[in-house]
C-alpha cells in the first residue's frame, strides 16, 4: 500500500485527501516511480479549484513533476529500467496521470534520467519552469541578442526561468513585480531591469529602458486589467504570450492601440513543445545543456513534506514565494 492525494470536489486546499491505495502495476509504456520529491505548480491549484483547462472529473489527482527511483516498468518500456534515478516532464494530462503520491505511474515518454549533479529536490523543480519558458521564448519567439523581453510575475518559478533563458539567448529581460520587496533578489537572479508595477509607471519605465522603442516580447501569466499596459509597452509588431490567468478578472483589449501597433497576442501552453517526441527531446536537451553550462539553475523557494500538502497549497496561493515550491516524500 502507498498514499496518494486526490480530491472529490472543487474547493480550497482543505479538499485534498490522503488515500491509502494498493501499489499499482504499470501497464504497457508506463513507469512506476517511488517518489522522493514533488514540484508544485500553479496549474495544480487551478485544477483543484476546477478553474484549469478542461473540467475536472472527480475524484481527481494532481501533479506534473516528480523525481524518484524507478521500481517497475511496463511492457515495451525501453528508455529507463528498474533502479534508475529519474524525474518527470509535464507531458501528460491530469485526466490520466498525476504525481502527488508516494508511488505513482506515469507514461514512459514523460520520464527522463535527470543530470546526476541534481538532488531529488532540484530535479523535481526544473522541467515545468524551464520548458515553459523555453517553448515560448526560444522555440516560438526565437528571441535573439538585443531583444527586450517583459516578464510579469517575475519571481514565480517560470518567471525566473524566463529571466535565465532570455539572458542565455543574449536578450534583455525586464522583470515585473508588484512592489520593491523582491527587486534586489530579481536583480541577483539575473534581471538587469526590474519594475515595481504598483510603485512605478511600468509603460514609462519600459520606454525609458528601450529608448522609446518598446519591448519585442512580453511573456505574461497574469492577464486582467493591466493587460493593456503590456500592449502599450510593446514595440510595433511585438508579441505577447499569455500562458496563465493569475488575475481571474476579464482581460480587456485596447483595440485602438492594437490597430496602431499591430501586435500579436498568442495563447501559449506546453503543448507547443510537449506535443511530439522530437520537440520533447529538443526541450530536454536544451535544459540539460543549460544546467551543465551553468546558464540555467534551479531556484528553490521552500521545501515542505508530503504530509504538509494542504499547507503547501495555502502557501502556493499566497503568492509570497520566490522560485519553486518542492515537497519531499
Amino acid at each position: 500500500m502507498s498514499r496518494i492525494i486526490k480530491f472529490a470536489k472543487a474547493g480550497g486546499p482543505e479538499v485534498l485527501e490522503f488515500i491509502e491505495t494498493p501499489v499499482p502495476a504499470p501497464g504497457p509504456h508506463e513507469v512506476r516511480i517511488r517518489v522522493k520529491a514533488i514540484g508544485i505548480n500553479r496549474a495544480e491549484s487551478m485544477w483543484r479549484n476546477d478553474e484549469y483547462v478542461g473540467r475536472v472529473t472527480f475524484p481527481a489527482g494532481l501533479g506534473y513533476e516528480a523525481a524518484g527511483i524507478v521500481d517497475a516498468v511496463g511492457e515495451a518500456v525501453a528508455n529507463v529500467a528498474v533502479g534508475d534515478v529519474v524525474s518527470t516532464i509535464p507531458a501528460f494530462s491530469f485526466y490520466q496521470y498525476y504525481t502527488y503520491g508516494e508511488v505513482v505511474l506515469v507514461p514512459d515518454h514523460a520520464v527522463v534520467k535527470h543530470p546526476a549533479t541534481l538532488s531529488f529536490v532540484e530535479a523535481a523543480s526544473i522541467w515545468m519552469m524551464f520548458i515553459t519558458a523555453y517553448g515560448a521564448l526560444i522555440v516560438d519567439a526565437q528571441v535573439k541578442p538585443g531583444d527586450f523581453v517583459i516578464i510579469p510575475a517575475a519571481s514565480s518559478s517560470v518567471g525566473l526561468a524566463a529571466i535565465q533563458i532570455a539572458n542565455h539567448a543574449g536578450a534583455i529581460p525586464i522583470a515585473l513585480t508588484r512592489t520593491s520587496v523582491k527587486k534586489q533578489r530579481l536583480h541577483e537572479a539575473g534581471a538587469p531591469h526590474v519594475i515595481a508595477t504598483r510603485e512605478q509607471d511600468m509603460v514609462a519605465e519600459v520606454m525609458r529602458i528601450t529608448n522609446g522603442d518598446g519591448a519585442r516580447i512580453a511573456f505574461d501569466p497574469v492577464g486582467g486589467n493591466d493587460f493593456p499596459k503590456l500592449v502599450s509597452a510593446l514595440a510595433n509588431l511585438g508579441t505577447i504570450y499569455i500562458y496563465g490567468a493569475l488575475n481571474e478578472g476579464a482581460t480587456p483589449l485596447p483595440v485602438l492601440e492594437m490597430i496602431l501597433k499591430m501586435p500579436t497576442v498568442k495563447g501559449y501552453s506546453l503543448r507547443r513543445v510537449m506535443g511530439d517526441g522530437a520537440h520533447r527531446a529538443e526541450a530536454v536537451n536544451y535544459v540539460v545543456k543549460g544546467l551543465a553550462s551553468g546558464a540555467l539553475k534551479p531556484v528553490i523557494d521552500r521545501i515542505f513534506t508530503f504530509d504538509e500538502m494542504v499547507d503547501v497549497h495555502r502557501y502556493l496561493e499566497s503568492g509570497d514565494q520566490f522560485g519553486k515550491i518542492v515537497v519531499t516524500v
Side-chain angles (χ1 to χ4, degrees):
M1 302 289 286
S2 71
R3 290 186 302 163
I4 59 172
I5 293 175
K6 287 196 169 185
F7 60 107
K9 62 180 180 180
E14 65 279 359
V15 303
L16 299 178
E17 299 179 87
F18 291 83
I19 299 171
E20 288 275 351
T21 184
V23 174
H29 291 288
E30 289 185 332
V31 176
R32 192 172 72 199
I33 299 172
R34 192 161 296 278
V35 176
K36 299 295 185 181
I38 302 165
I40 307 299
N41 296 286
R42 186 71 182 190
E44 289 137 30
S45 170
M46 297 175 71
W47 181 244
R48 192 201 71 233
N49 280 297
D50 200 6
E51 295 173 347
Y52 195 46
V53 178
R55 300 304 302 271
V56 177
T57 301
F58 300 108
L62 307 96
Y64 278 124
E65 294 181 282
I69 300 170
V70 175
D71 77 348
V73 297
E75 183 182 351
V77 172
N79 56 321
V80 294
V82 173
D84 283 346
V85 174
V86 297
S87 51
T88 62
I89 59 175
F92 51 83
S93 166
F94 284 158
Y95 289 114
Q96 297 173 291
Y97 298 99
Y98 51 84
T99 62
Y100 283 20
E102 294 171 330
V103 180
V104 299
L105 292 180
V106 288
D108 59 355
H109 68 257
V111 180
V112 297
K113 299 177 187 178
H114 59 254
T117 54
L118 297 183
S119 67
F120 285 119
V121 166
E122 290 171 325
S125 78
I126 56 174
W127 299 114
M128 178 68 86
M129 61 187 286
F130 286 122
I131 291 176
T132 299
Y134 159 83
L137 300 184
I138 302 302
V139 176
D140 204 277
Q142 299 181 24
V143 294
K144 58 186 183 298
D147 282 344
F148 287 96
V149 181
I150 301 172
I151 304 171
S155 60
S156 69
S157 58
V158 176
L160 293 167
I163 290 170
Q164 294 183 30
I165 285 173
N167 282 329
H168 191 30
I172 305 163
I174 302 173
L176 305 189
T177 185
R178 288 173 292 180
T179 70
S180 296
V181 172
K182 297 177 181 178
K183 283 187 77 170
Q184 184 56 39
R185 293 183 72 184
L186 286 167
H187 283 305
E188 293 168 356
H193 306 285
V194 182
I195 302 171
T197 57
R198 289 183 181 173
E199 302 167 11
Q200 298 172 276
D201 183 326
M202 186 272 285
V203 177
E205 283 297 297
V206 170
M207 288 302 170
R208 179 186 63 80
I209 292 164
T210 63
N211 294 316
D213 293 331
R216 180 178 161 240
I217 300 294
F219 184 50
D220 180 33
V222 181
N225 288 331
D226 286 338
F227 187 79
K229 294 180 182 178
L230 288 179
V231 176
S232 297
L234 278 187
N236 288 332
L237 302 176
T239 301
I240 299 177
Y241 292 89
I242 186 160
Y243 68 97
L246 295 180
N247 187 312
E248 296 175 1
T251 298
L253 296 179
V255 175
L256 292 178
E257 189 158 24
M258 293 180 71
I259 291 170
L260 177 66
K261 286 193 167 183
M262 297 181 288
T264 299
V265 178
K266 302 184 77 168
Y268 169 78
S269 83
L270 280 167
R271 292 196 307 274
R272 179 67 176 85
V273 291
M274 294 289 99
D276 68 71
H279 286 156
R280 284 196 299 270
E282 290 168 2
V284 170
N285 187 54
Y286 177 93
V287 174
V288 169
K289 284 186 174 180
L291 291 167
S293 72
L296 306 182
K297 299 176 183 178
V299 181
I300 309 298
D301 171 77
R302 187 171 167 184
I303 301 170
F304 291 80
T305 66
F306 190 59
D307 289 333
E308 298 176 297
M309 191 64 82
V310 172
D311 290 332
V312 170
H313 272 240
R314 291 193 180 109
Y315 181 63
L316 173 68
E317 293 180 344
S318 74
D320 291 334
Q321 64 269 22
F322 189 95
K324 193 80 170 187
I325 303 167
V326 179
V327 169
T328 56
V329 181

